[in-house]
Amino acid sequence: MAISKEEILEAVANMTVLEIVDLISAMEEKFGVSAAAAVAVAAPAAAAAVVEEQTEFDVILTGFGENKVAVIKAVRSLTGLGLKEAKDAVEGAPTTVKEAVSKTEAETAKKELEAAGATAEIK
C-alpha cells in the first residue's frame, strides 16, 4: 500500500523540529543527498515550527520605588517628556516608557530606570 503525498505532508507538519532534524539525517543517509536537498523537502513544516526572533521591544515602568524624583528625571531623559508629563507617566505606572526599540536600547533604558530606583521590565 502506497502512502499518499498528503499523508506524508501531514505527518511532517505534526513533527517537532527535533523530529524533522532526525528525519533529514535519515533521508541523507538513505538517499545519499545533501542537507540542502533534504531541507527543501522538510522546509514547509520547519518554517511553520520556527519562531520569528523578536526585534522590537517595549520598556515598561512597573513601579517608581522610594525615589520618585530620580525616576521622573530618568523618564524625562529617556523620553524627552516635560516635567508634568513625566511625573504623570511615573505616577501612572505601569506605563510604557519606550516602544518598539532595539534590544540594546531597551536594556539600556531599563538599567537607567532601575539605577534611579524604579522597577521596569522589557516585553
Side-chain angles (χ1 to χ4, degrees), residues 61 63-78 83 86 90 112-118:
L61 174 70
F64 54 82
E66 295 183 20
N67 196 353
K68 183 166 57 170
V69 173
V71 175
I72 291 170
K73 288 180 181 179
V75 169
R76 288 187 70 197
S77 74
L78 289 168
L83 180 60
V90 169
E112 189 173 330
L113 289 168
E114 289 174 343

Side-chain angles (χ1 to χ4, degrees), residues 15-83:
M15 291 179 158
T16 65
V17 174
L18 292 175
E19 291 170 331
I20 292 172
V21 169
D22 288 340
L23 175 63
I24 290 169
S25 295
M27 290 171 64
E28 286 176 333
E29 289 176 25
K30 172 97 175 160
F31 301 111
V33 295
S34 70
V39 169
V41 172
V50 173
V51 177
E52 189 175 310
E53 185 177 338
Q54 184 176 355
T55 59
E56 293 184 338
F57 299 86
D58 294 342
V59 180
I60 314 293
L61 174 70
T62 57
F64 54 82
E66 295 183 20
N67 196 353
K68 183 166 57 170
V69 173
V71 175
I72 291 170
K73 288 180 181 179
V75 169
R76 288 187 70 197
S77 74
L78 289 168
T79 62
L81 292 174
L83 180 60

Side-chain angles (χ1 to χ4, degrees), residues 57-59 74 77-78 97-98 101-116 120-122:
F57 299 86
D58 294 342
V59 180
S77 74
L78 289 168
V97 176
K98 293 283 223 175
V101 295
S102 70
K103 185 174 185 176
T104 305
E105 187 176 348
E107 289 171 348
T108 302
K110 182 180 182 216
K111 286 178 186 174
E112 189 173 330
L113 289 168
E114 289 174 343
E121 62 184 38
I122 298 173

